[in-house]
Amino acid sequence: MTVLDYYSKLDSRKQWLHITKQWIQGILGRKIEQYYTPVVIRQLPGKGCKLLLLERNTPGAVSTWRFNCELLQRQYLLITLDNLADLDRYLQRSNRQRKPGNTKREIVNLPIRNVSHRIGISLIDPLKKQEWIGVWDLNLIDDWSTYHAEDYKAEQLVLYLGRRLISSYEFMPDFFEQQITEKQWWQQRIMTLCKADFTKDHDVNITPLSGTKHRTSNLIEFRRKVG
């Protein structure tokens, strides 16, 4: 079975999960032939922590931030942002390659969406696996946004989310330890930032993505095991 045949049997949500998982396995070196070190585009240092903007070349990828801190030790948090329209364009064109008569078509029939981007938060353990904390689809495009600027507010929101992560770790370490792997904590932070960045009549339409296995254990248990 070819890669395109495999993708064609999955819906858009599962295809995105598979593509993201493959990228993470590549940077972890799970598959030697796919191993690579992502380019660090930007660094934001904090007290006992740092936030890194990584290059990610997967379909729909907009930005990817990695958060390292002393508390997490070998583990780290990964924040991913994807443009859903770009992802749909890639998947539809990939599926059409299976039909030779359609390979030159450039028109892509995109579904009418009330969401524009996908934010994913996961905990990565290089010695174990990736564990999703939460994944959400949202409408992060203003009415005035042009095609070339449709990712602007989404990128800014994820950057602010990373900065909040640094400040929470620096000034409220105990709270950070208790809440950082809680899906609801992240969703509240995202909604707070959206309310500050969009007008009152803008509907964010935040939608949790089903079908992901969320982390349920806490950092205290992890520290006991390794400490």
Side-chain angles (χ1 to χ4, degrees):
M1 178 184 294
T2 66
V3 174
L4 292 178
D5 288 334
Y6 177 79
Y7 281 164
S8 67
K9 295 180 183 299
L10 302 176
D11 61 30
S12 176
R13 171 182 57 83
K14 291 181 179 179
Q15 289 184 46
W16 176 82
L17 289 170
H18 177 77
I19 291 170
T20 305
K21 181 181 178 180
Q22 290 292 102
W23 181 82
I24 291 173
Q25 288 181 337
I27 65 174
L28 293 180
R30 296 291 170 80
K31 296 183 178 180
I32 301 300
E33 68 277 7
Q34 297 179 356
Y35 175 74
Y36 65 95
T37 302
V39 175
V40 177
I41 302 172
R42 183 180 178 185
Q43 296 190 44
L44 298 176
K47 185 178 180 181
C49 63
K50 60 182 176 180
L51 192 65
L52 306 175
L53 178 61
L54 306 180
E55 182 182 54
R56 177 166 56 102
N57 58 356
T58 58
V62 177
S63 63
T64 306
W65 291 92
R66 169 176 169 168
F67 179 79
N68 292 83
C69 65
E70 295 173 354
L71 175 66
L72 292 177
Q73 299 185 28
R74 71 168 182 259
Q75 295 177 313
Y76 58 86
L77 291 164
L78 198 67
I79 306 173
T80 58
L81 172 67
D82 291 85
N83 183 304
L84 294 175
D86 286 347
L87 178 64
D88 281 335
R89 290 186 185 98
Y90 169 82
L91 295 177
Q92 288 195 33
R93 285 173 179 153
S94 295
N95 289 336
R96 279 208 304 272
Q97 289 179 21
R98 301 175 66 249
K99 300 178 182 179
N102 292 333
T103 55
K104 294 184 179 181
R105 288 178 53 196
E106 289 298 325
I107 298 176
V108 177
N109 297 316
L110 297 176
I112 298 175
R113 290 185 176 275
N114 59 0
V115 290
S116 62
H117 291 81
R118 178 169 293 155
I119 296 176
I121 312 292
S122 55
L123 184 66
I124 310 296
D125 187 335
L127 300 182
K128 294 184 180 179
K129 61 181 180 179
Q130 171 201 23
E131 295 184 64
W132 289 107
I133 295 173
V135 181
W136 300 268
D137 288 350
L138 310 92
N139 176 22
L140 300 178
I141 298 181
D142 272 342
D143 293 336
W144 56 264
S145 296
T146 65
Y147 173 79
H148 298 288
E150 64 182 11
D151 293 327
Y152 176 76
K153 284 210 167 185
E155 287 185 280
Q156 291 300 305
L157 185 141
V158 170
L159 173 58
Y160 296 154
L161 194 62
R163 291 185 182 277
R164 288 287 182 91
L165 199 57
I166 292 177
S167 62
S168 295
Y169 182 77
E170 289 182 331
F171 301 108
M172 298 179 291
D174 292 337
F175 180 79
F176 177 93
E177 182 175 9
Q178 295 172 6
Q179 301 294 329
I180 201 61
T181 56
E182 295 297 326
K183 180 181 178 181
Q184 191 60 34
W185 183 88
W186 285 95
Q187 183 163 322
Q188 290 175 353
R189 300 288 81 72
I190 292 171
M191 289 305 301
T192 298
L193 291 171
C194 286
K195 289 179 180 178
D197 211 26
F198 290 95
T199 59
K200 292 182 179 180
D201 58 348
H202 179 83
D203 192 351
V204 176
N205 289 323
I206 186 167
T207 307
L209 191 68
S210 61
T212 54
K213 295 181 179 180
H214 298 128
R215 176 179 170 82
T216 55
S217 58
N218 56 48
L219 294 178
I220 297 177
E221 179 182 355
F222 169 75
R223 291 179 68 188
R224 287 172 179 170
K225 289 181 178 179
V226 299

